[in-house]
Amino acid sequence: MEGIVSIFPSRTRELLTTRSWDFLGFPQTPPEALPLEGDIIVGMLDSGVWPDSPSFSDEGFGPPPSRWKGACHNFTCNNKIIGARAYKLGSHGSAGVSPLDEGGHGSHTASTVAGRAVGNVSFNGLAAGTARGAVPGARLAVYKVCWRKHCQEEDILAAFDDAIADGVDVISFSIGGLRPSPYFEDAAAIGSFHAMKRGVLTSAGAGNAGTIGGRVCNVAPWMLSVAASSIDRRFVDKIVLGNGDTIVGTSINTFPVVQNATLVFPNGSSCDPEDMAGGSYKGKIIVCPPKNGRGFPVAAGYRPLEVVNLLVALPKLRVLRIKLWKQDRATDEVLAKSLRELQKIRTLDVYVTGGDARREMHAVRERWTPPRVPDDEQPVDAPTAPRLVVLLVQVMELRQRDVDALGRLPALVTLRVEPRATPEPLAVPAVAFPRPAEWRLRGSSLAPVAGPFSAGAAGAVMAGNGLDVANAVPLPAIQMTQGQLDQITAYVNSTSNPVGTIDSTEAAVNPQAPVAASFSSPGPNLITPGILKPDLSAPGIDIIASWSPMSRAVGAPEDKRSVMYNIESGTSMACPHATGVAAYVKSFHRDWSPAMIMSALITTASTMNTSSNAGYSELKYGAGQLNPSKARDPGLVYDASEGDYVAMLCAQGYNATQLTLVTGSNATSCSGSGRGDLNYPTMAAHVALGQNFSLGFVRTVTNVGATDAVYNVEIIGVSSIDVTVAPERLEFSAKNRTATYTVSASGVAAAAAAADKVVSLAVVWSDGRHVVRSPLVVYTVGVDIPPEEMSP
């Protein structure tokens, strides 16, 4: 069809936020500067906004800028929130589709960007202080594209186009996937390209996929990809054992102190809700043993016959995901026999798969394309849908893509079948099992405390990963290292009367900050290996900001607490920090291109190559930590236009026809487009392990500082590769003049080095006042990505 560059399935993305601004050295905006910010409009593509938060007051604001063309659908705007639209599966602005924030995420990110200064804010007394955004005088335009943390690409692309047409200056996009997608199969990449053409920068979260290399998302070079890092405040909790030992862990626990409570192990050595059901735990602290496996979202260890009984008990069940913990023939045989018996009771379409899980799941998806579901808690009711899909897969064979594929089926329950088969035939009829899956509606961090909370325990202690993040809990609970949990276990086993006291969480100084967040998705960039992603880091751990009272403070259904300000972690929280600084820079330089603003943020970032970040590199944290006070006046910037990005895409194999359809220009062509070496503020290259390499980077800088300026170069970093810069001196006779230089790097990726070796240094230009730092990263980390690993 004419006018279509590519057709791809609309995928579901995920929502990937006040000490942080003080930590960055960014002072509160003085009243006289608010009118300057008032001409800046920030578009928020997120889960909506809660307009009654004090952070979004329009007191003292004048009318919106005259250029504003936006609208407010099913929403009452003010002079702070000047636009609000909602999108749901292609339904834009229709009755019943409201931009109100039901989950809190959108309010959190919006207030981090542009929230008014609000004093005496806290989370139930924790993290008290003044909450504020980077540009409190700026206007907000809200585009709700996410519902219950899920965001459809067709809605994302429509929202991008509306935001551009409405007249926003910067777009904030705290949404991402588990891995990157090819640019023109990615609504965010397409939408942000459209925005770039109109002079609008898109700031996006780098993703929360953790330590797996190459999982950084939102990697298009025309958008800013923001990693998460810590601030100099952390939340700690402690338990004092009866023998006087004190164990310090982490949590967001604002409950009263639990004094001298008995420490006990759960029945069956499991803190799963169904395993603890019926036990006597009131007034006790549960010592939760570590769960087996690798963090897959399993609800419980049901025996095969229990599974069958559960199926009978849930008559509305349409899809059931069953995962075998281990492949076990006896379990298979008993479960298969039980399912055959079950089919005599209910008419079911049963898919039983095993072995090659990927192939079987593909077959299931080919046979049944699930219809759109208006509410993800409503069962599918369509004549084309099978009544039941049973997937028997070996967990260790699953890739993340397989888990994603399962997640797109409208499942209500996820079970783990343990290999504890019994030869008994189908026995007891319907059994009403609990629904632990509900605990995962707001993330998996609550899973370990679901059982103790449901059982009425006084508290809980457990081992966990990612202890740089404090998780809110529905009861007094602490996460700690496995070694610390072993210490508590040894104490409990050593005495007939083990007791412990759990204190309330306190804020403590974190002198090691900034440290890269464990959850933040690292590079390399699998789509364009020569572009370093993420670009930089910003505060994304334990950030307090505005929240929606429509969402509970903690994701547990039975915990009814609601708050106006909540503590959250993620690159979703890092992204709006960068968005806010980009808007701040834009307020002083209205004529700067998106590439110039990106350059200002990247080249002024503070280095994170410190002992606190040992084991990490620029592939994890980018150029370093966001530095707002320097970004406004960077001295030199690296600019790039639509034509430069087109040349890069041509070098990657995009043809002229596709490019013409995307850019809307018949003059677009790959003919004579050049070598495709983008004028990017950083330099990166993938090299083969054990092979000699010789690299060249050509860069052009624009003087945005003093009229007469002279810059000299310095190479800072390791000497394991040879690097030269020519020329070594750049002279500018006026503002906006340009100069070009070449960086040559050569060496050998030593075969003795680890396969994930990263060598980095920095090309630094300085005129005595400005320091313009461009990291150069040479790495051997693999960049090949199998087709089946790409986002489907």
Side-chain angles (χ1 to χ4, degrees):
M1 275 184 284
E2 185 177 354
I4 297 178
V5 59
S6 61
I7 298 175
F8 53 91
S10 176
R11 294 182 293 267
T12 300
R13 297 303 189 189
E14 297 180 352
L15 290 168
L16 296 175
T17 123
T18 301
R19 176 61 197 158
S20 56
W21 291 117
D22 291 336
F23 173 65
L24 292 175
F26 195 45
Q28 190 167 328
T29 303
E32 60 271 18
L34 292 176
L36 178 66
E37 296 177 356
D39 199 40
I40 297 297
I41 305 168
V42 180
M44 303 295 304
L45 272 65
D46 212 291
S47 68
V49 70
W50 184 253
D52 294 333
S53 169
S55 294
F56 306 123
S57 167
D58 69 345
E59 182 179 355
F61 276 61
S66 58
R67 60 187 169 84
W68 175 243
K69 300 181 180 65
C72 299
H73 291 160
N74 302 323
F75 189 91
T76 301
C77 288
N78 59 20
N79 286 328
K80 175 67 175 180
I81 304 172
I82 62 174
R85 303 177 188 262
Y87 309 76
K88 191 171 186 180
L89 295 173
S91 176
H92 305 157
S94 61
V97 180
S98 169
L100 279 177
D101 184 11
E102 299 172 351
H105 191 276
S107 300
H108 203 280
T109 56
S111 64
T112 302
V113 175
R116 304 291 299 271
V118 181
N120 299 317
V121 162
S122 71
F123 178 87
N124 294 329
L126 185 65
T130 298
R132 60 186 173 98
V135 281
R139 321 292 180 136
L140 288 167
V142 174
Y143 302 85
K144 181 175 180 177
V145 297
C146 299
W147 305 80
R148 298 182 181 274
K149 297 182 72 173
H150 298 296
C151 325
Q152 293 293 332
E153 288 199 325
E154 61 183 295
D155 297 333
I156 290 170
L157 191 53
F160 262 108
D161 287 343
D162 280 347
I164 297 163
D166 289 346
V168 303
D169 296 295
V170 182
I171 290 175
S172 192
F173 187 75
S174 287
I175 303 168
L178 292 170
R179 63 188 56 78
S181 299
Y183 299 137
F184 293 107
E185 293 182 4
D186 184 347
I190 297 172
S192 60
F193 191 94
H194 295 172
M196 174 273 300
K197 288 173 56 180
R198 295 284 292 272
V200 177
L201 172 64
T202 300
S203 169
N208 303 326
T211 59
I212 304 174
R215 288 299 176 88
V216 59
C217 63
N218 295 321
V219 297
W222 49 84
M223 65 196 304
L224 187 70
S225 182
V226 187
S229 54
S230 63
I231 61 175
D232 61 349
R233 178 191 64 198
R234 60 190 299 259
F235 298 121
V236 297
D237 202 353
K238 63 184 178 181
I239 179 170
V240 181
L241 305 179
N243 62 4
D245 290 349
T246 298
I247 309 295
V248 178
T250 183
S251 70
I252 299 174
N253 162 29
T254 58
F255 295 97
V257 174
V258 176
Q259 191 75 37
N260 289 327
T262 300
L263 292 162
V264 298
F265 299 114
N267 295 334
S269 298
S270 169
C271 277
D272 287 330
E274 63 282 351
D275 289 332
M276 296 189 67
S280 177
Y281 301 106
K282 291 190 181 300
K284 300 174 183 178
I285 297 174
I286 313 301
V287 182
C288 290
K291 295 178 71 70
N292 293 325
R294 299 189 177 184
F296 283 88
V298 295
Y302 290 91
R303 293 178 175 83
L305 295 183
E306 294 172 340
V307 172
V308 177
N309 294 332
L310 177 63
L311 302 185
V312 178
L314 298 176
K316 293 184 178 181
L317 184 65
R318 295 297 182 267
V319 178
L320 175 67
R321 295 177 277 175
I322 299 182
K323 304 175 184 179
L324 282 181
W325 199 246
K326 293 181 180 178
Q327 199 72 353
D328 183 274
R329 178 173 298 178
T331 302
D332 288 350
E333 291 175 352
V334 171
L335 186 53
K337 180 179 179 180
S338 298
L339 286 171
R340 287 194 296 270
E341 293 294 324
L342 179 62
Q343 284 183 287
K344 298 176 182 178
I345 302 173
R346 289 171 57 185
T347 302
L348 302 168
D349 286 335
V350 180
Y351 294 91
V352 180
T353 72
D356 189 346
R358 289 178 292 280
R359 176 173 57 81
E360 296 292 349
M361 271 187 284
H362 178 72
V364 169
R365 294 175 61 198
E366 284 294 307
R367 179 167 175 179
W368 175 46
T369 300
R372 291 174 179 170
V373 185
D375 187 318
D376 58 14
E377 287 192 345
Q378 294 179 359
V380 173
D381 187 12
T384 58
R387 294 295 303 275
L388 177 67
V389 175
V390 179
L391 297 174
L392 300 183
V393 296
Q394 191 172 353
V395 169
M396 300 305 293
E397 292 178 0
L398 279 179
R399 299 183 185 181
Q400 185 61 52
R401 180 171 181 267
D402 303 325
V403 179
D404 296 345
L406 287 170
R408 281 192 294 276
L409 298 175
L412 299 181
V413 182
T414 300
L415 303 178
R416 182 186 78 219
V417 181
E418 293 183 345
R420 292 182 290 184
T422 149
E424 300 172 6
L426 183 63
V428 235
V431 179
F433 285 85
R435 291 282 306 282
E438 293 179 356
W439 286 82
R440 297 194 301 276
L441 294 178
R442 282 260 312 276
S444 59
S445 61
L446 284 172
V449 295
F453 179 73
S454 299
V461 294
M462 68 218 69
N465 297 318
L467 296 179
D468 52 343
V469 175
N471 292 309
V473 289
L475 80 168
I478 308 175
Q479 277 195 311
M480 59 191 63
T481 67
Q482 183 60 52
Q484 291 173 314
L485 188 66
D486 290 344
Q487 183 179 347
I488 295 177
T489 299
Y491 162 69
V492 174
N493 289 329
S494 70
T495 177
S496 59
N497 183 32
V499 295
T501 296
I502 297 180
D503 288 342
S504 303
T505 296
E506 297 178 344
V509 175
N510 180 14
Q512 295 182 323
V515 178
S518 60
F519 58 77
S520 191
S521 297
N525 183 344
L526 299 183
I527 308 301
T528 308
I531 298 293
L532 179 65
K533 291 289 181 174
D535 289 301
L536 49 72
S537 295
I541 296 179
D542 299 340
I543 307 299
I544 187 169
S546 182
W547 199 247
S548 169
M550 296 179 70
S551 177
R552 298 182 180 93
V554 182
E558 293 85 356
D559 189 343
K560 305 300 183 183
R561 293 179 297 165
S562 67
V563 293
M564 291 298 293
Y565 289 82
N566 204 356
I567 298 169
E568 291 284 293
S569 299
T571 56
S572 283
M573 285 67 249
C575 166
H577 282 86
T579 306
V581 176
Y584 171 73
V585 173
K586 183 77 172 180
S587 71
F588 290 96
H589 305 288
R590 296 306 309 271
D591 59 339
W592 279 17
S593 70
M596 295 171 75
I597 297 175
M598 281 180 59
S599 174
L601 271 61
I602 292 170
T603 62
T604 59
S606 304
T607 180
M608 288 177 63
N609 185 17
T610 63
S611 58
S612 299
N613 283 290
Y616 293 140
S617 71
E618 284 81 356
L619 295 184
K620 180 76 169 179
Y621 49 71
Q625 180 182 250
L626 183 69
N627 191 337
S629 61
K630 292 185 180 287
R632 171 185 166 183
D633 181 22
L636 303 175
V637 294
Y638 296 80
D639 199 6
S641 65
E642 177 187 351
D644 297 316
Y645 296 119
V646 167
M648 186 208 74
L649 294 174
C650 288
Q652 286 195 212
Y654 290 98
N655 61 53
T657 301
Q658 290 176 318
L659 292 170
T660 299
L661 291 169
V662 171
T663 62
S665 170
N666 292 326
T668 304
S669 172
C670 286
S671 175
S673 61
R675 57 196 292 261
D677 184 11
L678 189 64
N679 192 41
Y680 211 68
T682 57
M683 291 159 267
H686 174 259
V687 298
L689 191 65
Q691 301 295 314
N692 291 316
F693 62 85
S694 181
L695 308 170
F697 305 91
V698 179
R699 295 292 186 265
T700 298
V701 289
T702 301
N703 176 34
V704 293
T707 300
D708 296 309
V710 176
Y711 284 80
N712 295 298
V713 73
E714 182 181 3
I715 306 299
I716 299 177
V718 299
S719 58
S720 57
I721 60 176
D722 296 324
V723 179
T724 60
V725 180
E728 297 180 346
R729 180 182 177 91
L730 302 177
E731 298 183 7
F732 302 90
S733 59
K735 262 191 171 185
N736 298 319
R737 293 289 177 88
T738 63
T740 299
Y741 68 91
T742 301
V743 177
S744 300
S746 61
V748 59
D756 289 349
K757 181 71 173 178
V758 177
V759 176
S760 63
L761 48 85
V763 177
V764 181
W765 294 97
S766 178
D767 64 349
R769 176 186 172 191
H770 303 95
V771 176
V772 187
R773 187 174 63 90
S774 294
L776 189 162
V777 180
V778 179
Y779 60 92
T780 59
V781 182
V783 296
D784 294 328
I785 180 166
E788 66 270 16
E789 282 291 319
M790 301 302 294
S791 292

